Amino acid sequence: MQVKAAIVTELNGPWHTELIDIDEPRAHEVKVKMAFAGMCHSDEHTRVGDMTVPPEVLAYLGVESMFPFIGGHEGSGIVESVGDNVNGLAPGDHVSVSFVPSCGKCEYCASGRPFICDLGATTLAGPMISDGTWRHHFGDQNLNRFAQLGTFSEYIVVHEASLIKIDPWYDLRAAALISCGLATGFGSSAHRGGVKPGDVVAVIGCGGVGSGAIQGAVHAGARAVIAIDTNQSKVDRAMKIGATHGASTSLEAAFTLLGELTSGKNCDVVVLTPGRLTGELIEEARSITAKGGVIVATALAPFAQTQVDLNLAMFTLYNQELRGTIFGSVAPRVQIPRLLKLHHEGKFFVDELVSREYTIDEVNQGYLDLESGKNVRGVVRF
């Protein structure tokens, strides 16, 4: 069938909407009619080359380039049809996508860490993870899909491992936004950061992921949450969803807030959620971290970046920790329904973060708005 999708056909090229062809689902695959797709910054990382898969990996996946690709890795919708041997999903089911597919069988899934499932190795480019063939086509070209999803499309065909069934009374727009950024941020504080009751937490970068991190810290019992962002409107919004203090930079927080707030101790946990993680931000975060404290690097850095600024002497002598995370280090099949329930009960802010809804023809404008700071969260409504 032919559907409209927002694609990128070349490095640094614009998002543009085209008619593409998608095939019917085969074994272990599901076709979903999309309801909403969140506009996360990670898709932009791929468009501009920050997340370009190395040539040797592309060769292993059987492709020559990341382009063309369908964007989008946050989303929700309703199951249209299923292929053979699909278990637990049927037409009419409401689903959230998961940008980390989980097989349930590899060492990481079996040990309770499905967020680092081995299937994740093939998610940025390449054919279907079910059988190594293609379902999405643009003319005579096969289309890669971001995170094996490509949610900027009216319909998607995906492996069942990339879908999570949700109860039909949950809001599908909230499900789309929780499916990646908000859940990742929440887990970065509440799980990977290990925030405890009474802790002081700083969140550097207060967009969509940072908004989740702020709420995760609040739910974990932090006594103070400092929202740090150069965009004052994002700090102001953070104060409405649980942040207790705001600052434009870590330096400002250090000199105007932390001395009195912590008696000079600094933050127990610092979560890094800027739009793009750069090497100098690691030392910036460490400088406001307490002895024995934790820095969580959540935001994505360019794949080619290998250098960071870090005062190793202080890092060692202060017994500090630097932790990476994906999806907040929580199982998507656990976290997404859990946060949806909190949202349904009015205990988790999602709607307040949506700056604007876009059509599938306005994806490029949505990312221009994100880059200019107009958006905390943009969402595509189908």
Side-chain angles (χ1 to χ4, degrees):
M1 66 184 298
Q2 281 200 323
V3 301
K4 291 173 72 174
I7 68 173
V8 177
T9 52
E10 61 183 344
L11 181 66
N12 290 312
W15 296 97
H16 50 101
T17 305
E18 303 286 351
L19 281 177
I20 68 166
D21 294 291
I22 64 171
D23 302 331
E24 292 303 305
R26 299 185 187 178
H28 300 292
E29 297 172 3
V30 180
K31 181 164 72 174
V32 178
K33 178 177 173 57
M34 295 301 297
F36 294 93
M39 300 183 68
C40 181
H41 200 278
S42 297
D43 301 277
E44 275 287 275
H45 280 294
T46 299
R47 185 186 69 83
V48 302
D50 286 347
M51 292 179 64
T52 299
V53 178
E56 60 272 19
V57 178
L58 289 173
Y60 169 77
L61 297 174
V63 296
E64 296 180 355
S65 172
M66 294 285 295
F67 305 95
F69 78 93
I70 310 171
H73 65 283
E74 295 184 338
S76 63
I78 299 173
V79 173
E80 181 88 358
S81 61
V82 300
D84 294 335
N85 303 318
V86 171
N87 297 309
L89 289 172
D93 285 344
H94 288 210
V95 292
S96 164
V97 303
S98 173
F99 77 93
V100 183
S102 52
C103 69
K105 301 174 182 178
C106 69
E107 174 187 345
Y108 301 102
C109 285
S111 61
R113 296 172 290 168
F115 46 89
I116 48 174
C117 173
D118 281 340
L119 288 180
T122 62
T123 58
L124 290 182
M128 301 295 292
I129 56 179
S130 49
D131 64 3
T133 60
W134 300 83
R135 304 288 175 272
H136 304 74
H137 318 279
F138 179 49
D140 59 356
Q141 294 179 289
N142 292 320
L143 282 162
N144 295 301
R145 296 158 300 133
F146 194 91
Q148 283 283 330
L149 292 169
T151 58
F152 296 160
S153 178
E154 294 173 313
Y155 288 81
I156 61 174
V157 174
V158 299
H159 194 280
E160 61 181 327
S162 296
L163 296 174
I164 298 169
K165 182 179 177 180
I166 60 176
D167 290 321
W169 53 82
Y170 289 140
D171 181 68
L172 283 171
R173 190 174 77 164
L177 294 168
I178 287 172
S179 68
C180 171
L182 288 172
T184 294
F186 191 99
S188 295
S189 294
H191 297 278
R192 191 58 165 156
V195 174
K196 303 179 295 299
D199 279 352
V200 174
V201 179
V203 177
I204 302 177
C206 300
V209 181
S211 296
I214 289 164
Q215 295 186 76
V218 171
H219 278 266
R223 73 175 178 89
V225 181
I226 305 166
I228 301 174
D229 201 297
T230 55
N231 186 326
Q232 185 60 43
S233 67
K234 293 184 179 181
V235 174
D236 293 341
R237 187 168 303 208
M239 300 288 286
K240 296 177 181 178
I241 62 169
T244 57
H245 301 77
S248 61
T249 65
S250 299
L251 190 65
E252 179 187 339
F255 281 97
T256 65
L257 296 172
L258 290 175
E260 182 176 352
L261 186 62
T262 69
S263 300
K265 171 185 154 185
N266 282 336
C267 300
D268 301 285
V269 179
V270 178
V271 183
L272 282 162
T273 51
R276 178 179 286 106
L277 185 58
T278 54
E280 67 271 12
L281 284 175
I282 301 299
E283 175 57 23
E284 184 177 320
R286 192 215 60 78
S287 70
I288 60 169
T289 302
K291 290 185 286 186
V294 173
I295 307 112
V296 181
T298 303
L300 284 169
F303 278 10
Q305 181 177 306
T306 58
Q307 301 296 317
V308 300
D309 292 343
L310 181 65
N311 187 319
L312 283 172
M314 292 299 100
F315 183 71
T316 299
L317 294 172
Y318 282 9
N319 197 52
Q320 295 167 329
E321 296 181 56
L322 174 61
R323 300 174 181 172
T325 187
I326 184 168
F327 202 77
S329 306
V330 189
R333 295 185 188 280
V334 172
Q335 190 75 315
I336 290 172
R338 177 186 291 163
L339 294 182
L340 274 171
K341 183 173 291 187
L342 286 174
H343 172 262
H344 190 68
E345 295 174 351
K347 300 172 183 175
F348 185 67
F349 296 103
V350 177
D351 305 309
E352 294 80 358
L353 306 175
V354 177
S355 306
R356 180 183 160 186
E357 290 186 352
Y358 299 86
T359 68
I360 188 63
D361 297 311
E362 296 175 317
V363 169
N364 198 65
Q365 183 60 52
Y367 277 113
L368 291 174
D369 290 345
L370 179 65
E371 189 66 26
S372 68
K374 294 179 182 178
N375 273 351
V376 173
R377 253 335 192 188
V379 62
V380 176
R381 177 189 285 267
F382 292 93

